[in-house]
Amino acid sequence: MVVVSSPAKIILFGEHAVVYGTPAIAMAIERRIFVKAETLSEKKLVVLTGRKKVSFPLHILTPEGEFRYVKKAVAISLENTGYSSGIKLEINSEIPRASGLGSSAAVSVAVLKAVHELYDVELSPEELAKLGHRVEREVQGAASPTDTATSALGGVLLIKPGAGIERIELNRDIPLVVGCTGIKRSTGKVVAGVRELRDRHPEIIDGVMECIGRLVLKAKCALESGDLKTLGELMDINQGLLEALGVSNLALARRIYSARKAGALGAKLTGAGAGGCMIALAPEHQEKVKKVLGKNSFITTTARAGTKVESLE
Ligand code: MEV
Protein backbone atom coordinates (compact mmCIF):
# COMPACT_ATOMS: atom_id res chain seq x y z
CA MET A 1 0.00 0.00 0.00
CA VAL A 2 1.23 3.51 -0.81
CA VAL A 3 -0.17 7.00 -0.21
CA VAL A 4 0.98 9.82 -2.49
CA SER A 5 -0.02 13.49 -2.46
CA SER A 6 0.22 16.21 -5.14
CA PRO A 7 -0.35 19.96 -4.76
CA ALA A 8 -2.71 22.34 -6.57
CA LYS A 9 -1.26 25.26 -8.54
CA ILE A 10 -1.95 28.91 -9.19
CA ILE A 11 -0.54 31.24 -11.85
CA LEU A 12 1.24 34.07 -10.00
CA PHE A 13 2.00 36.17 -13.12
CA GLY A 14 1.78 36.06 -16.90
CA GLU A 15 -1.36 34.07 -17.78
CA HIS A 16 -2.68 34.69 -21.31
CA ALA A 17 0.50 36.49 -22.43
CA VAL A 18 2.23 33.09 -22.12
CA VAL A 19 0.04 31.88 -25.03
CA TYR A 20 1.84 34.54 -27.15
CA GLY A 21 5.33 33.42 -26.12
CA THR A 22 6.18 35.50 -23.03
CA PRO A 23 7.12 33.69 -19.78
CA ALA A 24 4.73 33.03 -16.89
CA ILE A 25 5.21 32.14 -13.22
CA ALA A 26 3.30 29.25 -11.63
CA MET A 27 3.36 28.20 -7.98
CA ALA A 28 2.33 25.00 -6.20
CA ILE A 29 0.10 25.69 -3.19
CA GLU A 30 -0.60 23.74 -0.02
CA ARG A 31 -3.89 22.21 -1.10
CA ARG A 32 -3.37 18.58 -1.96
CA ILE A 33 -4.96 15.57 -3.51
CA PHE A 34 -4.20 12.26 -1.76
CA VAL A 35 -4.14 8.94 -3.60
CA LYS A 36 -3.90 5.64 -1.71
CA ALA A 37 -3.01 2.73 -4.00
CA GLU A 38 -3.20 -1.01 -3.32
CA THR A 39 -2.87 -4.07 -5.57
CA LEU A 40 -5.91 -6.25 -6.19
CA SER A 41 -6.02 -9.92 -7.17
CA GLU A 42 -8.78 -9.31 -9.75
CA LYS A 43 -7.72 -7.65 -13.05
CA LYS A 44 -9.66 -4.45 -12.55
CA LEU A 45 -9.24 -0.84 -11.51
CA VAL A 46 -11.39 0.21 -8.57
CA VAL A 47 -11.65 3.94 -7.84
CA LEU A 48 -13.05 5.09 -4.51
CA THR A 49 -13.82 8.68 -3.60
CA GLY A 50 -15.86 10.16 -0.78
CA ARG A 51 -18.84 10.14 -3.15
CA LYS A 52 -18.65 6.83 -4.97
CA LYS A 53 -16.97 3.57 -5.92
CA VAL A 54 -16.49 2.71 -9.59
CA SER A 55 -14.82 -0.29 -11.18
CA PHE A 56 -13.27 -0.57 -14.68
CA PRO A 57 -11.83 -3.61 -16.52
CA LEU A 58 -8.03 -3.19 -16.70
CA HIS A 59 -7.78 -3.90 -20.45
CA ILE A 60 -10.16 -1.08 -21.47
CA LEU A 61 -9.09 2.06 -19.66
CA THR A 62 -10.35 4.56 -22.25
CA PRO A 63 -9.59 8.23 -21.51
CA GLU A 64 -13.25 9.22 -21.58
CA GLY A 65 -16.07 9.90 -19.15
CA GLU A 66 -15.77 9.99 -15.41
CA PHE A 67 -12.27 9.46 -13.93
CA ARG A 68 -10.73 9.82 -17.41
CA TYR A 69 -7.51 11.34 -16.04
CA VAL A 70 -7.24 8.55 -13.46
CA LYS A 71 -7.86 5.84 -16.08
CA LYS A 72 -5.30 7.32 -18.49
CA ALA A 73 -2.71 7.70 -15.70
CA VAL A 74 -3.20 4.05 -14.71
CA ALA A 75 -2.98 2.86 -18.36
CA ILE A 76 0.30 4.79 -18.88
CA SER A 77 1.68 3.48 -15.56
CA LEU A 78 0.93 -0.13 -16.52
CA GLU A 79 2.55 0.42 -19.93
CA ASN A 80 5.59 2.09 -18.34
CA THR A 81 6.12 -0.42 -15.52
CA GLY A 82 5.22 -3.59 -17.43
CA TYR A 83 2.97 -4.76 -14.54
CA SER A 84 -0.69 -5.64 -14.97
CA SER A 85 -2.18 -6.54 -11.60
CA GLY A 86 -5.48 -5.06 -10.46
CA ILE A 87 -5.36 -1.75 -8.60
CA LYS A 88 -7.53 -0.07 -6.00
CA LEU A 89 -7.21 3.73 -5.73
CA GLU A 90 -8.75 5.76 -2.93
CA ILE A 91 -8.80 9.48 -3.77
CA ASN A 92 -9.32 12.32 -1.30
CA SER A 93 -9.00 15.88 -2.51
CA GLU A 94 -8.67 19.30 -0.88
CA ILE A 95 -8.57 20.96 -4.33
CA PRO A 96 -11.81 22.50 -5.64
CA ARG A 97 -12.58 21.03 -9.07
CA ALA A 98 -12.99 22.99 -12.32
CA SER A 99 -11.75 26.19 -10.66
CA GLY A 100 -8.43 26.61 -12.49
CA LEU A 101 -6.38 25.27 -9.58
CA GLY A 102 -5.05 22.30 -11.54
CA SER A 103 -7.05 19.47 -9.96
CA SER A 104 -6.91 17.25 -13.06
CA ALA A 105 -3.13 17.70 -13.33
CA ALA A 106 -2.73 16.96 -9.62
CA VAL A 107 -4.78 13.76 -9.78
CA SER A 108 -2.91 12.65 -12.92
CA VAL A 109 0.57 12.99 -11.41
CA ALA A 110 -0.53 11.60 -8.02
CA VAL A 111 -1.96 8.44 -9.66
CA LEU A 112 1.12 8.02 -11.89
CA LYS A 113 3.46 8.30 -8.89
CA ALA A 114 1.31 6.05 -6.68
CA VAL A 115 1.12 3.21 -9.22
CA HIS A 116 4.87 3.40 -10.00
CA GLU A 117 5.62 3.30 -6.24
CA LEU A 118 3.27 0.37 -5.80
CA TYR A 119 5.42 -1.62 -8.26
CA ASP A 120 8.65 -0.18 -6.85
CA VAL A 121 9.55 1.54 -10.14
CA GLU A 122 11.64 4.71 -9.77
CA LEU A 123 10.20 7.89 -11.36
CA SER A 124 12.07 11.21 -11.05
CA PRO A 125 10.04 14.43 -10.63
CA GLU A 126 11.04 15.45 -14.18
CA GLU A 127 9.92 12.08 -15.63
CA LEU A 128 6.70 12.40 -13.64
CA ALA A 129 6.08 15.89 -15.07
CA LYS A 130 6.55 14.52 -18.61
CA LEU A 131 4.20 11.57 -18.06
CA GLY A 132 1.66 13.88 -16.40
CA HIS A 133 1.72 16.16 -19.44
CA ARG A 134 1.16 13.09 -21.65
CA VAL A 135 -1.92 12.12 -19.57
CA GLU A 136 -3.41 15.62 -20.00
CA ARG A 137 -2.61 15.70 -23.73
CA GLU A 138 -4.14 12.29 -24.37
CA VAL A 139 -7.29 13.13 -22.41
CA GLN A 140 -7.77 16.73 -23.63
CA GLY A 141 -6.15 16.65 -27.07
CA ALA A 142 -3.89 19.62 -26.24
CA ALA A 143 -2.55 20.85 -22.92
CA SER A 144 0.02 23.26 -21.56
CA PRO A 145 2.73 21.51 -19.46
CA THR A 146 2.37 24.12 -16.68
CA ASP A 147 -0.12 22.42 -14.37
CA THR A 148 1.42 18.95 -14.42
CA ALA A 149 4.98 20.31 -14.06
CA THR A 150 4.00 22.50 -11.10
CA SER A 151 2.16 19.67 -9.37
CA ALA A 152 5.03 17.22 -9.97
CA LEU A 153 7.94 19.53 -9.10
CA GLY A 154 6.41 21.88 -6.49
CA GLY A 155 7.74 25.36 -5.59
CA VAL A 156 7.68 28.25 -8.04
CA LEU A 157 8.41 27.75 -11.74
CA LEU A 158 9.20 30.07 -14.62
CA ILE A 159 7.42 28.72 -17.69
CA LYS A 160 9.31 29.75 -20.84
CA PRO A 161 7.30 28.82 -23.94
CA GLY A 162 9.47 26.82 -26.32
CA ALA A 163 12.43 26.96 -23.91
CA GLY A 164 11.36 24.75 -21.01
CA ILE A 165 10.74 25.30 -17.34
CA GLU A 166 13.11 26.83 -14.79
CA ARG A 167 12.83 26.71 -11.02
CA ILE A 168 12.75 30.10 -9.24
CA GLU A 169 14.68 29.95 -5.96
CA LEU A 170 12.44 31.65 -3.41
CA ASN A 171 13.79 33.83 -0.65
CA ARG A 172 10.64 33.14 1.40
CA ASP A 173 7.29 31.36 1.02
CA ILE A 174 4.51 33.39 -0.57
CA PRO A 175 1.49 33.83 1.75
CA LEU A 176 -1.76 33.93 -0.21
CA VAL A 177 -5.48 33.97 0.25
CA VAL A 178 -7.34 32.36 -2.65
CA GLY A 179 -10.92 33.38 -3.40
CA CYS A 180 -13.06 31.35 -5.79
CA THR A 181 -16.04 32.79 -7.64
CA GLY A 182 -17.65 29.40 -8.24
CA ILE A 183 -18.15 30.47 -11.88
CA LYS A 184 -17.00 27.69 -14.22
CA ARG A 185 -15.66 28.66 -17.60
CA SER A 186 -13.80 27.05 -20.47
CA THR A 187 -10.14 28.12 -20.70
CA GLY A 188 -10.30 27.55 -24.48
CA LYS A 189 -13.18 30.02 -24.86
CA VAL A 190 -11.47 32.72 -22.78
CA VAL A 191 -8.22 32.26 -24.72
CA ALA A 192 -10.20 32.50 -28.00
CA GLY A 193 -11.82 35.76 -26.79
CA VAL A 194 -8.37 37.28 -26.21
CA ARG A 195 -7.30 36.17 -29.69
CA GLU A 196 -10.32 37.94 -31.24
CA LEU A 197 -9.52 41.12 -29.32
CA ARG A 198 -5.92 40.92 -30.52
CA ASP A 199 -7.08 40.37 -34.11
CA ARG A 200 -9.10 43.60 -33.87
CA HIS A 201 -6.40 45.69 -32.11
CA PRO A 202 -3.00 44.04 -32.65
CA GLU A 203 -1.06 47.30 -32.26
CA ILE A 204 -2.51 47.71 -28.74
CA ILE A 205 -2.82 44.11 -27.48
CA ASP A 206 0.71 43.15 -28.56
CA GLY A 207 1.94 46.02 -26.38
CA VAL A 208 -0.08 44.67 -23.42
CA MET A 209 1.46 41.21 -23.89
CA GLU A 210 4.99 42.67 -24.03
CA CYS A 211 4.30 44.66 -20.91
CA ILE A 212 3.16 41.49 -19.09
CA GLY A 213 6.38 39.80 -20.24
CA ARG A 214 8.50 42.58 -18.70
CA LEU A 215 6.44 42.46 -15.52
CA VAL A 216 7.07 38.69 -15.19
CA LEU A 217 10.85 39.22 -15.27
CA LYS A 218 10.60 41.89 -12.55
CA ALA A 219 8.38 39.58 -10.51
CA LYS A 220 11.01 36.82 -10.77
CA CYS A 221 13.60 39.16 -9.18
CA ALA A 222 11.12 40.18 -6.45
CA LEU A 223 10.45 36.50 -5.66
CA GLU A 224 14.18 35.77 -5.47
CA SER A 225 14.80 38.67 -3.11
CA GLY A 226 11.62 38.14 -1.05
CA ASP A 227 10.37 41.66 -1.78
CA LEU A 228 6.65 41.21 -1.06
CA LYS A 229 5.80 44.90 -1.40
CA THR A 230 7.03 44.96 -5.01
CA LEU A 231 5.34 41.62 -5.70
CA GLY A 232 2.02 43.06 -4.50
CA GLU A 233 2.43 46.11 -6.74
CA LEU A 234 3.24 43.89 -9.71
CA MET A 235 0.15 41.76 -9.01
CA ASP A 236 -2.02 44.89 -9.14
CA ILE A 237 -0.40 46.01 -12.41
CA ASN A 238 -0.82 42.50 -13.88
CA GLN A 239 -4.51 42.62 -12.92
CA GLY A 240 -4.87 45.96 -14.74
CA LEU A 241 -3.36 44.44 -17.86
CA LEU A 242 -5.61 41.38 -17.60
CA GLU A 243 -8.57 43.78 -17.35
CA ALA A 244 -7.31 45.32 -20.60
CA LEU A 245 -7.42 41.85 -22.19
CA GLY A 246 -11.06 41.56 -21.13
CA VAL A 247 -10.67 38.44 -18.97
CA SER A 248 -11.72 39.82 -15.59
CA ASN A 249 -15.35 40.16 -14.52
CA LEU A 250 -17.44 41.65 -11.74
CA ALA A 251 -17.21 38.61 -9.46
CA LEU A 252 -13.40 38.68 -9.67
CA ALA A 253 -13.03 42.47 -9.52
CA ARG A 254 -15.24 42.73 -6.39
CA ARG A 255 -13.09 40.17 -4.60
CA ILE A 256 -9.85 41.80 -5.79
CA TYR A 257 -10.84 45.28 -4.57
CA SER A 258 -12.21 43.89 -1.27
CA ALA A 259 -8.98 41.96 -0.62
CA ARG A 260 -6.86 45.07 -1.23
CA LYS A 261 -9.08 47.11 1.11
CA ALA A 262 -8.80 44.41 3.79
CA GLY A 263 -5.00 44.75 3.80
CA ALA A 264 -3.66 42.55 0.99
CA LEU A 265 -0.43 43.88 -0.60
CA GLY A 266 -1.80 43.08 -4.06
CA ALA A 267 -4.47 40.99 -5.75
CA LYS A 268 -5.25 39.61 -9.20
CA LEU A 269 -7.19 36.90 -10.97
CA THR A 270 -5.30 33.64 -11.50
CA GLY A 271 -5.45 31.42 -14.60
CA ALA A 272 -7.87 31.95 -17.43
CA GLY A 273 -10.21 34.43 -15.68
CA ALA A 274 -13.89 35.11 -16.52
CA GLY A 275 -14.66 33.22 -13.29
CA GLY A 276 -12.48 30.69 -11.51
CA CYS A 277 -10.33 32.12 -8.72
CA MET A 278 -8.35 35.18 -7.65
CA ILE A 279 -5.31 35.44 -5.37
CA ALA A 280 -4.41 38.03 -2.76
CA LEU A 281 -0.89 38.48 -1.38
CA ALA A 282 -1.44 38.66 2.37
CA PRO A 283 1.51 38.32 4.74
CA GLU A 284 -0.69 40.06 7.35
CA HIS A 285 -4.46 40.46 7.88
CA GLN A 286 -5.02 36.97 6.42
CA GLU A 287 -8.19 36.23 8.38
CA LYS A 288 -9.66 39.62 7.46
CA VAL A 289 -8.89 39.09 3.78
CA LYS A 290 -10.34 35.57 3.90
CA LYS A 291 -13.51 36.93 5.53
CA VAL A 292 -14.15 39.50 2.78
CA LEU A 293 -13.54 36.85 0.10
CA GLY A 294 -16.44 34.77 1.39
CA LYS A 295 -17.07 31.09 1.86
CA ASN A 296 -15.13 29.72 -1.10
CA SER A 297 -11.82 31.14 0.06
CA PHE A 298 -8.80 29.73 1.84
CA ILE A 299 -5.44 30.78 3.27
CA THR A 300 -2.47 29.01 1.72
CA THR A 301 1.22 29.27 0.93
CA THR A 302 3.91 27.89 -1.37
CA ALA A 303 4.05 24.09 -1.50
CA ARG A 304 7.82 23.55 -1.63
CA ALA A 305 7.28 19.82 -2.20
CA GLY A 306 5.63 18.68 -5.38
CA THR A 307 4.31 15.13 -5.61
CA LYS A 308 5.49 13.16 -2.58
CA VAL A 309 5.11 9.75 -0.97
CA GLU A 310 3.24 10.20 2.31
CA SER A 311 3.45 6.58 3.44
CA LEU A 312 4.57 3.22 2.10
CA GLU A 313 3.90 -0.27 3.52
C1 MEV B 1 -4.76 29.13 -17.86
O1 MEV B 1 -4.47 28.55 -16.60
C2 MEV B 1 -3.58 29.94 -18.31
C3 MEV B 1 -3.73 30.52 -19.72
O2 MEV B 1 -2.55 31.31 -19.94
C4 MEV B 1 -3.83 29.44 -20.77
C5 MEV B 1 -2.56 28.62 -20.96
O3 MEV B 1 -1.46 29.05 -20.64
O4 MEV B 1 -2.69 27.50 -21.49
C6 MEV B 1 -4.92 31.41 -19.84
Side-chain angles (χ1 to χ4, degrees):
M1 187 273 288
V2 58
V3 180
V4 164
S5 79
S6 296
K9 75 92 194 32
I10 49 106
I11 305 282
L12 269 179
F13 296 97
E15 50 275 268
H16 286 290
V18 70
V19 175
Y20 296 84
T22 62
I25 299 175
M27 180 170 93
I29 55 169
E30 278 305 346
R31 278 261 146 163
R32 290 184 169 265
I33 194 157
F34 294 85
V35 173
K36 179 175 163 189
E38 286 169 86
T39 48
L40 283 179
S41 47
E42 281 174 87
K43 292 249 177 216
K44 59 182 184 178
L45 165 67
V46 174
V47 185
L48 269 158
T49 66
R51 294 173 294 134
K52 55 170 71 170
K53 178 178 176 182
V54 192
S55 162
F56 305 96
L58 261 199
H59 60 285
I60 32 173
L61 294 174
T62 49
E64 285 147 17
E66 205 180 15
F67 298 117
R68 54 196 180 280
Y69 293 93
V70 173
K71 287 192 281 176
K72 190 74 224 179
V74 170
I76 289 178
S77 301
L78 297 180
E79 179 195 309
N80 214 35
T81 58
Y83 287 88
S84 62
S85 72
I87 297 167
K88 181 173 146 197
L89 298 174
E90 209 176 310
I91 302 174
N92 285 296
S93 181
E94 303 170 345
I95 310 174
R97 287 167 68 201
S99 56
L101 299 178
S103 67
S104 53
V107 78
S108 302
V109 293
V111 169
L112 283 165
K113 181 71 180 170
V115 178
H116 280 73
E117 280 293 325
L118 199 59
Y119 297 134
D120 208 13
V121 175
E122 195 66 36
L123 198 56
S124 73
E126 290 73 22
E127 286 168 329
L128 178 61
K130 270 201 193 124
L131 285 184
H133 186 210
R134 188 178 148 201
V135 171
E136 285 219 312
R137 268 198 329 266
E138 292 186 17
V139 173
Q140 296 166 197
S144 130
T146 306
D147 291 13
T148 36
T150 313
S151 200
L153 304 172
V156 181
L157 304 177
L158 184 70
I159 315 296
K160 300 183 288 183
I165 288 171
E166 186 186 303
R167 184 177 287 287
I168 297 179
E169 294 303 336
L170 280 189
N171 178 287
R172 52 169 296 175
D173 287 344
I174 306 303
L176 293 180
V177 185
V178 179
C180 297
T181 62
I183 301 169
K184 305 207 188 324
R185 76 279 176 267
S186 131
T187 298
K189 276 195 189 142
V190 189
V191 169
V194 173
R195 187 162 298 281
E196 283 161 24
L197 188 71
R198 180 182 175 269
D199 287 346
R200 288 197 294 282
H201 311 286
E203 68 283 36
I204 300 168
I205 300 301
D206 284 350
V208 174
M209 300 304 187
E210 266 170 46
C211 204
I212 294 177
R214 282 199 291 276
L215 183 149
V216 166
L217 298 181
K218 261 198 129 162
K220 176 177 181 278
C221 296
L223 286 162
E224 285 164 345
S225 64
D227 181 353
L228 294 189
K229 188 168 175 291
T230 301
L231 268 186
E233 259 170 24
L234 293 171
M235 281 168 76
D236 288 347
I237 299 172
N238 198 164
Q239 173 61 21
L241 296 166
L242 288 162
E243 287 275 359
L245 297 180
V247 298
S248 193
N249 66 6
L250 188 57
L252 286 163
R254 273 207 182 112
R255 285 172 174 78
I256 288 163
Y257 276 90
S258 305
R260 290 174 187 160
K261 197 168 165 211
L265 294 183
K268 64 181 277 292
L269 67 83
T270 181
C277 301
M278 49 72 66
I279 50 174
L281 181 64
E284 289 166 19
H285 314 295
Q286 291 200 325
E287 286 298 337
K288 201 171 159 199
V289 173
K290 182 178 175 315
K291 193 162 174 234
V292 297
L293 292 181
K295 65 174 176 11
N296 294 322
S297 64
F298 57 91
I299 295 168
T300 190
T301 188
T302 315
R304 296 265 182 169
T307 297
K308 63 178 179 188
V309 176
E310 298 277 352
S311 65
L312 188 62
E313 274 168 24

